[in-house]
């Protein structure tokens, strides 16, 4: 089975049990920051977090280039670029079109000797969510990100890090043709119910709807 059994992952129970808290903080974040034209920009030096995010996305693109299904694709004809848009808000674009947008809430540069540090957005708008993640001690959490999968987009097949278990905790999933595939197994996201998989396994997604999908992504470092 490509997807992992979430009942075996303590972080998934923690997230599922606290869906209302996480959803409410995201809704407040949308109202007070994302859609507030009068907001004050929150500035901080996120160069360390940006460096980690940039490295991860570039390595995912490199991994996609090695997959057999893309052997005939002329990668030089396309511009694939991670972009820092504003404070802790990043995107991955293909030919200047966003296929993924992320808001970093917190990260850890190396496990376990480096502490997990909240971003300014995590501290300001997601205090209860970050406190919940901070209470999880079964394994080391590497990062927490609000991930927006834009409408009418496709995320190409790729893979990531062998040592990472990746958890998707859906906050909003539009109706229609939208799904996520790991290996040969395809599932739809369900609001308030975690999906988990090994980041090293090939995965891709599509959103053929007119609305964005929003999930909280939590990366967990596997025990040796």
């Amino acid at each position: 089975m490509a997807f992992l059994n979430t009942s075996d992952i303590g972080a998934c129970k923690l997230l599922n049990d606290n869906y209302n808290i996480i959803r409410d903080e995201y809704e407040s974040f949308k109202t007070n920051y994302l859609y507030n034209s009068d907001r004050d920009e929150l500035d901080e030096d996120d160069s360390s977090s940006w460096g980690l995010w940039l490295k991860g996305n570039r390595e995912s693109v490199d991994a996609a280039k090695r997959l057999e299904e893309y052997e005939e694709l002329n990668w030089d004809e396309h511009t694939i670029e991670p972009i820092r848009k504003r404070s802790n808000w990043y995107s991955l674009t293909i030919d200047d079109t966003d296929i993924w947008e992320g808001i970093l809430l917190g990260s850890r540069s190396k496990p376990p000797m480096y502490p997990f540090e909240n971003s300014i957005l995590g501290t300001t708008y997601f205090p209860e969510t970050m406190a919940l993640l901070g209470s999880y001690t079964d394994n080391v959490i590497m990062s927490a990100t609000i991930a927006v999968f834009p409408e009418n987009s496709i995320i190409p097949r790729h893979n990531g890090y062998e040592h990472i278990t990746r958890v998707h905790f859906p906050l909003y999933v539009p109706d229609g043709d939208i799904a996520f595939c790991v290996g040969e197994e395809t599932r739809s996201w369900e609001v308030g119910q975690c999906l988990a998989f090994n980041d090293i396994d090939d995965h891709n997604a599509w959103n053929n709807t007119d609305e964005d999908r929003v999930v909280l992504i939590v990366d967990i470092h596997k025990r040796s």
Side-chain angles (χ1 to χ4, degrees):
M1 187 170 69
F3 288 91
L4 302 178
N5 185 351
T6 56
S7 63
D8 295 334
I9 303 172
C12 291
K13 181 177 185 343
L14 181 71
L15 294 170
N16 291 346
D17 289 348
N18 291 280
Y19 165 71
N20 289 341
I21 290 173
I22 299 168
R23 177 207 58 200
D24 289 351
E25 288 196 327
Y26 177 70
E27 292 297 327
S28 176
F29 172 70
K30 284 199 306 181
T31 301
N32 295 303
Y33 187 80
L34 287 186
Y35 302 147
N36 179 9
S37 60
D38 296 326
R39 70 175 183 262
D40 293 327
E41 291 292 338
L42 299 175
D43 295 321
E44 67 174 342
D45 179 9
D46 67 340
S47 55
S48 176
S49 296
W50 165 245
L52 290 172
W53 199 90
L54 183 67
K55 180 176 183 289
N57 278 274
R58 284 181 171 165
E59 290 180 357
S60 290
V61 172
D62 288 342
K65 293 178 181 179
R66 294 192 293 269
L67 295 176
E68 290 184 5
E69 63 188 277
Y70 295 135
E71 283 183 350
E72 304 301 320
L73 184 64
N74 186 349
W75 290 90
D76 293 335
E77 294 180 353
H78 305 279
T79 301
I80 304 175
E81 185 178 14
I83 294 175
R84 175 160 43 178
K85 304 177 81 171
R86 58 181 179 270
S87 177
N88 295 103
W89 181 283
Y90 312 140
S91 73
L92 183 66
T93 66
I94 295 181
D95 300 331
D96 297 324
T97 299
D98 284 354
I99 64 165
W100 195 96
E101 297 180 349
I103 305 161
L104 190 68
L105 302 185
S107 64
R108 184 192 312 267
S109 56
K110 290 182 181 180
M113 66 289 295
Y114 285 68
F116 187 83
E117 297 182 353
N118 293 356
S119 73
I120 192 170
L121 293 180
T123 297
T124 305
Y125 290 104
F126 295 87
E128 291 188 76
T129 298
M130 302 313 288
L132 287 168
L133 294 178
S135 71
Y136 175 72
T137 57
D138 289 359
N139 274 309
V140 175
I141 291 179
M142 293 298 295
S143 65
T145 305
I146 295 291
V148 177
F149 185 14
E151 60 183 87
N152 297 307
S153 295
I154 296 174
I155 296 179
R157 205 154 180 81
H158 65 286
N159 59 26
Y161 295 107
E162 185 175 8
H163 61 276
I164 290 293
T165 295
R166 178 155 289 179
V167 174
H168 282 191
F169 185 58
L171 301 178
Y172 182 75
V173 182
D175 294 327
D177 182 16
I178 179 170
F180 184 55
C181 182
V182 177
E184 301 303 318
E185 186 177 355
T186 300
R187 293 189 184 181
S188 296
W189 291 278
E190 294 183 34
V191 169
Q193 297 296 317
C194 287
L195 285 178
F197 60 99
N198 293 314
D199 192 41
I200 192 64
D201 292 341
D202 297 346
H203 49 279
N204 64 291
W206 59 91
N207 179 8
N208 296 320
T209 78
D210 293 328
E211 298 179 85
D212 297 342
R213 179 233 61 186
V214 181
V215 303
L216 172 64
I217 295 180
V218 177
D219 282 349
I220 301 171
H221 192 274
K222 298 177 185 177
R223 292 188 186 276
S224 302

